[in-house]
């Protein structure tokens, strides 16, 4: 498990679908007219996959559970009560159950694109699209999301919607799959497909990277943004066991540009063989990397710390540096510290 | 946020939680919704859409919403 430090001050130059980084529009147009957003994912297919996975999700929810615990840990570092909570993309309600009763949480509303998942979550459940949230402005003190936002086409738009339903000084905390997720599987599938079909079709979803994260949060108007990642490594008997798990999680490919008609058994056999050759551990099991990208930010509020306006200083810097109680030599000495 | 048509006690189907009705708006227009207990729908006049409630769960998906025709008869939810 490695963790990369957030690259603070490094405002992201988007490497991931630059066209996604449009400025937010005012008002809402119908989805069909929303052509500025690059449509990468087939959202109906995402929904069908989740609907299908809902019935037996408990058998495959280990990653969602693990991430829910980690989100709860992060939240416990925030000294504040969050009475009203929205679990955005709730799967079977795992995150809401983990959070219930902590941090002054009184009420969790769970929403998922899949009505079947929403039903599995129980409690105050709603079927809702992260890109079209059906909640009134300023409803929640906290919006949390565990492993769902990587399926959203308009991620900046979804974050703006999340911000909108938060109260002033509300907190947004999300975990989604990041750019290095399934890097081993991707490599093996690509090599196998190149060899068998002589071309490559996208078989694993594109993910946002940590460098995009900070910029996304700022675009959404969230203050004190933090983006960081960690990699969770899960081992499997073979590539087929990994694929079974991904299907069970409802996480299989929903990229619009995917080749239709399935990948074919030959391709997966070849990829599985390459996977084992390239990555198998001494015990024969293969590792699969899941990069978890965490995003956190606050809805701006006057109570938060913020930089002073340029030109608003009331004391000259020179006066501070060359003050009467501080000899010039000490100033020179201090420069070395920085 | 939501107004309600009084229709006596609705059938045995699980009722949508009133706490949800307080916070729901139309996902398209962000405007108010009108709750129809008889047809188990949330109506957005501005968007001309009726969102179904199934097993007490509001399905706030634009894809799933019924388009409101100009005839009021369709609101009976046949």
């Amino acid at each position: 498990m490695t963790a990369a430090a957030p690259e603070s001050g490094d405002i992201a130059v988007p490497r991931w679908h630059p066209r996604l980084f449009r400025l937010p529009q005012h008002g809402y147009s119908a989805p069909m007219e929303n052509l500025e957003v690059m449509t990468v994912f087939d959202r109906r297919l995402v929904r069908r996959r989740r609907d299908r996975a809902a019935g037996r999700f408990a058998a495959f929810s280990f990653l969602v559970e693990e991430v829910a615990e980690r989100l709860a840990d992060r939240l416990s570092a925030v000294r504040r009560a969050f009475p009203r909570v929205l679990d955005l993309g709730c799967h079977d309600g795992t995150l809401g159950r983990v959070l219930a009763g902590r941090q002054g949480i009184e009420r969790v509303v769970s929403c998922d694109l899949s009505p079947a998942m929403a039903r599995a979550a129980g409690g105050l459940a709603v079927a809702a699209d992260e890109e079209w949230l059906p909640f009134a402005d300023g409803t929640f003190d906290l919006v949390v999301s565990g492993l769902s936002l990587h399926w959203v086409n308009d991620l900046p738009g979804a974050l703006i919607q999340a911000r909108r339903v938060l109260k002033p000084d509300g907190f947004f905390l999300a975990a989604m799959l990041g750019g290095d997720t399934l890097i081993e599987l991707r490599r093996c599938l690509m090599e196998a497909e190149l060899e068998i079909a002589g071309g490559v079709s996208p078989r694993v979803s594109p993910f946002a990277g940590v460098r995009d994260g900070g910029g996304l949060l700022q675009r959404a108007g969230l203050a004190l943004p933090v983006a960081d990642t960690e990699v969770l490594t899960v081992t499997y008997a073979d590539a087929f066991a990994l694929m079974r798990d991904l299907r069970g999680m409802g996480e299989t490919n929903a990229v619009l540009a995917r080749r239709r008609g399935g990948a074919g058994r030959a391709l997966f056999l070849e990829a599985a063989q390459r996977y084992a050759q390239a990555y198998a551990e001494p015990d024969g099991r293969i590792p699969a990397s899941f990069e978890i990208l965490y995003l956190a930010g606050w809805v701006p509020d006057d109570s938060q710390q913020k930089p002073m306006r340029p030109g608003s200083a009331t004391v000259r810097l020179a006066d501070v540096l060359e003050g009467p109680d501080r000899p010039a030599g000490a100033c020179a000495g201090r420069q070395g510290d920085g | 946020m939501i107004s309600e048509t009084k229709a006596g006690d609705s059938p045995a189907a699980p009722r949508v939680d009133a706490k949800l009705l307080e916070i729901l708006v139309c996902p398209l227009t962000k405007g108010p919704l009108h709750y129809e207990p008889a047809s188990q729908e949330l109506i957005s006049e501005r968007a001309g859409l009726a969102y179904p409630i199934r097993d007490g769960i509001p399905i706030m998906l634009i894809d799933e919403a019924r388009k409101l025709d100009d005839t009021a008869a369709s609101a009976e939810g046949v």
Side-chain angles (χ1 to χ4, degrees):
Chain A
M1 316 240 163
T2 56
E7 298 178 49
S8 57
D10 184 9
I11 306 296
V13 178
R15 291 166 301 144
W16 184 67
H17 303 312
R19 286 172 60 197
L20 284 171
F21 287 73
R22 61 180 184 135
L23 284 168
Q25 294 174 315
H26 293 289
Y28 297 89
S29 52
M32 298 304 167
E33 295 157 16
N34 224 345
L35 295 176
E36 278 171 282
V37 178
M38 191 182 216
T39 305
V40 180
F41 302 117
D42 182 340
R43 295 280 289 171
R44 281 169 202 235
L45 187 60
V46 171
R47 193 192 133 182
R48 278 210 302 281
R49 295 247 157 92
R50 278 188 179 227
D51 275 341
R52 210 174 300 150
R56 303 198 324 118
F57 190 72
F60 299 97
S61 63
F62 67 96
L63 197 58
V64 167
E65 277 167 29
E66 179 65 34
V67 168
E69 292 290 346
R70 284 162 191 258
L71 284 172
D73 277 355
R74 282 167 180 251
L75 198 61
S76 65
V78 182
R79 303 224 165 274
R80 254 207 55 183
F82 299 104
R84 301 276 185 273
V85 180
L86 174 66
D87 180 1
L88 187 59
C90 63
H91 296 94
D92 66 344
T94 298
L95 180 55
R97 280 191 289 277
V98 168
L99 292 179
R102 299 196 199 195
Q103 309 264 141
I105 291 171
E106 292 167 8
R107 190 181 291 174
V108 179
V109 174
S110 306
C111 77
D112 200 283
L113 180 63
S114 151
M117 283 288 191
R119 188 174 303 125
L124 294 170
V126 178
D129 189 328
E130 291 94 339
E131 298 179 24
W132 300 94
L133 284 185
F135 304 106
D137 287 6
T139 299
F140 300 103
D141 301 288
L142 170 68
V143 172
V144 285
S145 180
L147 299 188
S148 281
L149 287 175
H150 53 275
W151 284 121
V152 165
N153 280 314
D154 180 10
L155 189 52
L159 296 191
I160 288 166
Q161 299 238 339
R163 188 206 118 138
R164 202 184 49 75
V165 302
L166 278 166
K167 296 175 186 173
D169 207 27
F171 189 44
F172 173 80
L173 176 64
M176 56 195 278
L177 293 177
D180 282 342
T181 297
L182 299 175
I183 194 158
E184 307 89 352
L185 178 67
R186 264 195 271 202
R187 194 187 129 193
C188 296
L189 279 170
M190 198 176 82
E191 287 176 0
E193 192 165 14
L194 267 174
E195 180 159 316
I196 290 176
V200 176
S201 137
R203 297 204 178 274
V204 178
S205 298
F207 299 108
V210 68
R211 291 160 60 92
D212 310 327
L216 280 169
L217 290 161
Q218 284 181 325
R219 274 283 167 100
L222 290 163
L224 314 172
V226 177
D228 65 296
T229 67
E230 63 182 335
V231 175
L232 306 182
T233 305
V234 183
T235 64
Y236 289 94
D238 53 37
F240 293 99
L242 166 61
M243 288 303 294
R244 265 199 302 281
D245 243 18
L246 292 175
R247 206 167 298 126
M249 288 190 273
E251 291 288 332
T252 40
N253 193 2
V255 176
L256 274 170
R258 72 194 182 280
R259 194 170 289 179
R260 308 297 167 123
R265 183 126 185 110
L267 174 63
F268 278 115
L269 274 173
E270 175 70 26
Q273 217 164 23
R274 284 171 183 269
Y275 207 137
Q277 276 163 10
Y279 298 104
E281 287 162 3
D283 61 0
R285 293 176 71 82
I286 55 157
S289 301
F290 292 90
E291 187 190 28
I292 315 295
L293 168 61
Y294 294 95
L295 300 178
W298 294 84
V299 176
D301 186 76
D302 286 342
S303 66
Q304 289 160 1
Q305 76 250 35
K306 50 181 79 65
M308 292 175 79
R309 220 161 26 82
S312 62
T314 53
V315 180
R316 286 176 62 226
L317 185 61
D319 290 346
V320 176
L321 293 176
E322 295 164 14
D325 55 343
R326 185 177 292 185
C331 291
R334 279 193 60 79
Q335 284 178 347
D337 300 347
Chain B
M1 277 296 152
I2 295 184
S3 55
E4 181 173 348
T5 298
K6 299 288 176 208
D9 275 346
S10 58
R15 285 182 61 95
V16 61
D17 197 306
K19 293 191 213 70
L20 279 181
L21 295 184
E22 283 167 22
I23 58 173
L24 286 176
V25 297
C26 172
L28 193 63
T29 65
K30 313 297 177 193
L33 295 165
H34 176 81
Y35 176 42
E36 283 286 345
S39 61
Q40 285 293 299
E41 283 180 325
L42 293 167
I43 311 248
S44 170
E45 296 285 351
R46 216 179 299 167
L49 293 172
Y51 300 93
I53 299 170
R54 296 192 195 123
D55 303 329
I57 296 174
I59 312 293
M60 305 307 291
L61 304 172
I62 296 159
D63 280 6
E64 293 278 308
R66 182 173 65 81
K67 279 208 178 62
L68 294 177
D69 303 326
D70 35 12
T71 54
S74 60
E76 298 299 315
V78 186

